[in-house]
Amino acid sequence: MSTKKHGSSDIAEGLYEGKTVAMRGAVLTDEEIASQLYRYEHTAPLLPSLADFHDEQLKLYKRQGYVAVERLLSGETVRSATEALMNLIFEDAKEARIQYTKPKSELHNKEEQELAVRKVHDYVPSDETLTRIAYDPELIAKLRLILGDEPVLAQNMALLKPPHGGGEKPWHQDMAYGPLAYDKPVVGVWIALDEAALDNGCMHVIPRSHMDGGVPHYAVRDWQICDTNVRVEHDVAVPLPPGGALFFHGMLHHGTPPNGSDKRRRALQFHYAGQSSRKVRPDEYKRIYTNEMTDAEC
Ligand SMILES: O=C(O)CCC(=O)C(=O)O
């Protein structure tokens, strides 16, 4: 695992209204992040498939803030979604936007290029398979049940965590990010394309944390919940096979540790809002998700 320090020199993007700010706070190595900020003893149970999601699972989702499914996508769909994603990176990005962790001038071949991709934004319209996954009628029907409203795709993003040091995504709530700051909860659907395991940066969640509502986020290693405000002792890891998926509430505290293994960890992520939801006003956003009104320190 990389011994690179993360903290004061890192830059985060994606803050409310796209502002970019310098990070501050404690400087931690990947090993320290993986061992101090995450736990690995408890793992989430998996429903065999989406067809097994009924009223009881809806209650569980509402109580725990998440439900995980072993097989949302078939092996063939996973292969063709992965190929589609790689084509957007290597051949033609079309409408998608690709975010690299290094300047393009430092990427000399396809392997270096792929391993430097952190995110692919807005890929859904660019490929038929990816469009089909996002608007699958069975998926939309379950989301309608969860939202109690007509689901609208609010965001689509693929997240790639390369082997040997793919970075942590610190603990956060998705609705603390401007594009998802709606007045009613959004639902995240995170789908593993590679096996997402304990050693390559699978999702981790704090069950029931969505019940706390919005909490302040701080610019530390990213736009995140203060490390000391995360109830890490309640951490449940969500390892998934390729094609497995995590459905989670937009206020759920979640994060992913660094990838210290020699395996890729690529995932698709969709967020759906109810069609009657509205974006929160900037003053409301500040009150809920920042320390601007309270001055609380991290
Ligand atoms: O896939 C990851 O590493 C983190 C995904 C996530 O939590 C997010 O983008 O909100």
Side-chain angles (χ1 to χ4, degrees):
M1 201 178 274
S2 149
T3 52
K4 188 179 157 223
K5 297 264 182 189
H6 301 280
S8 53
S9 64
D10 286 355
I11 299 295
E13 284 180 85
L15 283 174
Y16 193 55
E17 290 175 343
K19 277 180 229 145
T20 298
V21 296
M23 298 291 105
R24 60 186 163 73
V27 175
L28 295 169
T29 63
D30 280 347
E31 288 83 353
E32 288 165 341
I33 289 168
S35 65
Q36 294 173 21
L37 304 182
Y38 296 88
R39 299 284 182 274
Y40 303 86
E41 299 80 42
H42 301 292
T43 57
L46 303 184
L47 274 184
S49 77
L50 205 51
D52 302 294
F53 188 101
H54 303 295
D55 285 353
E56 199 184 316
Q57 287 71 33
L58 179 61
K59 280 190 198 138
L60 191 66
Y61 175 92
K62 291 191 171 166
R63 200 165 57 239
Q64 300 279 78
Y66 67 95
V67 162
V69 173
E70 187 170 0
R71 188 179 163 93
L72 180 72
L73 305 182
S74 67
E76 197 185 321
T77 306
V78 168
R79 272 189 297 282
S80 93
T82 309
E83 196 181 306
L85 204 58
M86 294 302 110
N87 282 340
L88 294 176
I89 293 171
F90 294 132
E91 309 292 337
D92 179 4
K94 299 182 189 159
E95 288 107 298
R97 285 179 300 115
I98 302 179
Q99 185 182 322
Y100 290 91
T101 55
K102 289 182 181 170
K104 279 238 178 104
S105 56
E106 287 179 23
L107 309 173
H108 304 110
N109 54 48
K110 276 194 161 185
E111 194 187 2
E112 286 182 7
Q113 186 187 346
E114 186 209 327
L115 298 182
V117 174
R118 172 66 182 134
K119 291 182 182 171
V120 182
H121 300 262
D122 303 328
Y123 49 79
V124 161
S126 301
D127 178 84
E128 217 176 281
T129 302
L130 297 169
T131 308
R132 254 192 287 117
I133 296 171
Y135 295 107
D136 173 70
E138 193 190 3
L139 173 65
I140 297 296
K142 300 299 180 186
L143 290 165
R144 197 176 289 125
L145 206 61
I146 295 174
L147 290 163
D149 196 355
E150 196 53 35
V152 174
L153 183 64
Q155 189 180 58
N156 64 97
M157 195 188 278
L159 303 129
L160 284 68
K161 225 187 249 285
H164 307 298
E168 170 213 23
K169 176 72 189 176
W171 291 96
H172 65 284
Q173 296 174 305
D174 285 343
M175 291 175 72
Y177 283 74
L180 297 174
Y182 284 86
D183 61 353
K184 293 182 194 154
V186 300
V187 181
V189 183
W190 189 98
I191 308 172
L193 293 178
D194 302 302
E195 183 190 11
L198 294 178
D199 64 349
N200 71 344
C202 71
M203 281 284 235
H204 288 242
V205 300
I206 306 291
R208 303 174 79 99
S209 52
H210 63 304
M211 303 276 196
D212 297 349
V215 301
H217 282 57
Y218 297 84
V220 185
R221 296 178 303 285
D222 200 326
W223 186 234
Q224 62 171 98
I225 300 171
C226 190
D227 292 334
T228 51
N229 293 346
V230 178
R231 295 191 296 275
V232 179
E233 64 282 10
H234 297 305
D235 178 345
V236 171
V238 192
L240 291 169
L246 172 69
F247 289 72
F248 62 109
H249 188 287
M251 297 269 192
L252 191 74
H253 299 195
H254 66 286
T256 62
N259 180 1
S261 78
D262 57 5
K263 300 172 291 185
R264 287 177 171 78
R265 199 240 57 192
R266 294 168 292 188
L268 300 178
Q269 183 171 250
F270 303 109
H271 281 93
Y272 299 85
Q275 76 174 1
S276 68
S277 11
R278 299 283 164 263
K279 299 297 285 296
V280 297
R281 293 190 321 266
D283 60 321
E284 269 293 278
Y285 176 88
K286 274 189 199 155
R287 187 184 61 75
I288 302 170
Y289 295 111
T290 77
N291 64 344
E292 203 165 298
M293 311 287 190
T294 61
D295 267 349
E297 289 293 327
C298 170

